[in-house]
Amino acid sequence: MPELSQENVHVPFRRVLVTGATGLLGRAVYKEFQDNDWYTVGCGYSRARPRFEKCNLLDADAVRAMIQEFQPHVIVHCAAERRPDVVESQTDAAIQLNVSAAGNLAKEAGVSFVIYISTDYVFDGRNPPYDVNDTPNPLNLYGKTKLEGEREVLRNNMGAAVLRVPVLYGDVEKLEESAITVMFDKVQNSTDLISIDHCQQRFPTYVKDVGRVCRQLAESRLQDPSLRGIFHFSGNEQMTKYEMACAIADAFSLPSSHLRPITETPVGSGALRPHNPQLDCSRLENLGIGHRTPFKQGIKECLWPFLHDKRWRQSVFH
């Protein structure tokens, strides 16, 4: 068999490993690197096969073997338990994934540049916006586990980066995959009055934009080895969930009169959330990193497959 020439087989020199590649953010990060001349390997667990490598991140030997075999230049650690109410009810499992696995991955990474995805929930939301040097004060167990994960990563890997991001949305496989997209059925079902939170301030952020930030940060690090520590990235449109729901309705030319704002947090509404954990993103912006897709544009791109009334598609997208 003749040897393949370099012209018809191109193997990118730069290698990246994406954990949690089956999840909402992980899929976007994986695609961003793959589409931009990186040799990209993703790993997952229960949903990994056949597209991604299967690896139990709680198994230190398996993690070590995966890293030694692939020898990535960059590791983007997206895998996490990111649902605050689940963390409250399954705390031990969440600590294992959000803290222990993260610390071990950072330790085994060796010379690989680790980007640990964290959250705006490390702040209490009482005095925004929050700079990368501001003191965290998480209100719920989810925020506490992610903060401990940050500390474990930076303790085990001095050259690592922490990227804090807020509530995310994107190309979901099911609407329940994001706290934003899950509202779409309620928006479309205009026969019932729906009450939606109009108190907590959020900054919806498109996972495609986060993926781009991860790639740009990785490429900047290859040029400047001193780049490390904590970074913030966020969408710049401040909205409550009620305002997001109205914006979704408007994006699809749907009625919103059935949506009712709730201005007080209901009793028994789950894990405590910060009122306004707005992130100051100037450290990344000073590096020229960070593209923001307008919310209505991004939400239209990712929700149109879930539109009930197909007649709207003609008017909305053509």
Side-chain angles (χ1 to χ4, degrees):
M1 183 176 178
E3 191 178 47
L4 294 171
S5 68
Q6 195 169 355
E7 284 73 29
N8 52 23
V9 174
H10 172 66
V11 178
F13 166 72
R14 302 171 299 184
R15 298 181 299 278
V16 60
L17 172 66
V18 181
T19 74
T22 58
L24 174 62
L25 177 58
R27 295 193 303 270
V29 171
Y30 180 92
K31 186 175 189 305
E32 174 67 25
F33 278 94
Q34 188 178 52
D35 290 349
N36 286 278
D37 205 32
W38 282 74
Y39 181 21
T40 309
V41 168
C43 72
Y45 188 57
S46 59
R47 297 179 291 165
R49 303 294 190 186
R51 186 180 179 192
F52 301 116
E53 297 297 314
K54 183 172 183 177
C55 181
N56 180 1
L57 296 178
L58 303 180
D59 183 340
D61 292 335
V63 170
R64 184 181 307 115
M66 179 176 62
I67 292 173
Q68 289 180 350
E69 179 181 356
F70 183 47
Q71 295 188 352
H73 297 95
V74 176
I75 301 172
V76 185
H77 185 39
C78 300
E81 177 49 73
R82 58 178 180 77
R83 297 165 294 178
D85 295 334
V86 173
V87 175
E88 298 282 339
S89 62
Q90 300 177 26
T91 305
D92 289 345
I95 291 173
Q96 285 290 307
L97 183 56
N98 291 356
V99 182
S100 303
N104 182 66
L105 184 77
K107 183 169 62 178
E108 298 293 346
V111 297
S112 302
F113 175 46
V114 176
I115 302 175
Y116 173 74
I117 304 297
S118 191
T119 173
D120 58 348
Y121 274 26
V122 299
F123 297 111
D124 58 24
R126 297 186 180 110
N127 190 29
Y130 291 95
D131 181 74
V132 294
N133 296 312
D134 285 334
T135 303
N137 183 34
L139 298 181
N140 57 39
L141 282 173
Y142 167 64
K144 290 175 182 176
T145 64
K146 292 300 288 183
L147 179 59
E148 283 304 309
E150 291 182 10
R151 290 169 174 165
E152 280 294 292
V153 167
L154 296 175
R155 183 176 68 83
N156 283 288
N157 192 312
M158 296 287 289
V162 168
L163 179 62
R164 294 172 179 154
V165 295
V167 63
L168 302 175
Y169 72 95
D171 293 330
V172 293
E173 293 178 344
K174 53 185 180 180
L175 292 175
E176 295 77 16
E177 205 171 12
S178 160
I180 298 172
T181 59
V182 73
M183 297 188 289
F184 196 34
D185 280 342
K186 294 178 179 178
V187 170
Q188 294 187 83
N189 183 15
S190 58
T191 58
D192 298 325
L193 289 177
I194 301 295
S195 296
I196 303 179
D197 176 67
H198 190 44
C199 182
Q200 186 188 357
Q201 302 298 314
R202 310 300 295 273
F203 292 81
T205 301
Y206 202 13
V207 290
K208 288 183 180 179
D209 296 342
V210 180
R212 183 184 296 192
V213 166
C214 290
R215 177 181 60 81
Q216 291 176 321
L217 188 56
E219 291 172 354
S220 297
R221 167 58 179 258
L222 294 183
Q223 300 297 318
D224 179 5
S226 69
L227 209 59
R228 65 187 72 180
I230 298 173
F231 299 86
H232 290 170
F233 180 71
S234 170
N236 56 4
E237 295 171 82
Q238 180 172 329
M239 300 180 182
T240 63
K241 277 195 172 184
Y242 168 74
E243 288 168 332
M244 288 184 225
C246 290
I248 292 170
D250 188 55
F252 289 95
S253 301
L254 296 169
S256 59
S257 57
H258 64 297
L259 305 175
R260 297 296 173 88
I262 303 175
T263 55
E264 294 183 1
T265 304
V267 176
S269 56
L272 192 62
R273 269 77 165 172
H275 174 67
N276 183 358
Q278 180 182 4
L279 299 173
D280 179 330
C281 306
S282 56
R283 188 180 182 199
L284 278 177
E285 290 165 354
N286 291 338
L287 294 170
I289 295 176
H291 165 82
R292 294 176 173 90
T293 302
F295 179 68
K296 283 186 182 178
Q297 176 187 332
I299 206 70
K300 190 183 291 187
E301 288 176 3
C302 64
L303 282 183
W304 73 264
F306 299 91
L307 193 61
H308 294 166
D309 190 343
K310 305 304 187 286
R311 293 172 301 175
W312 284 104
R313 294 189 182 182
Q314 186 70 25
S315 61
V316 172
F317 295 100
H318 300 285

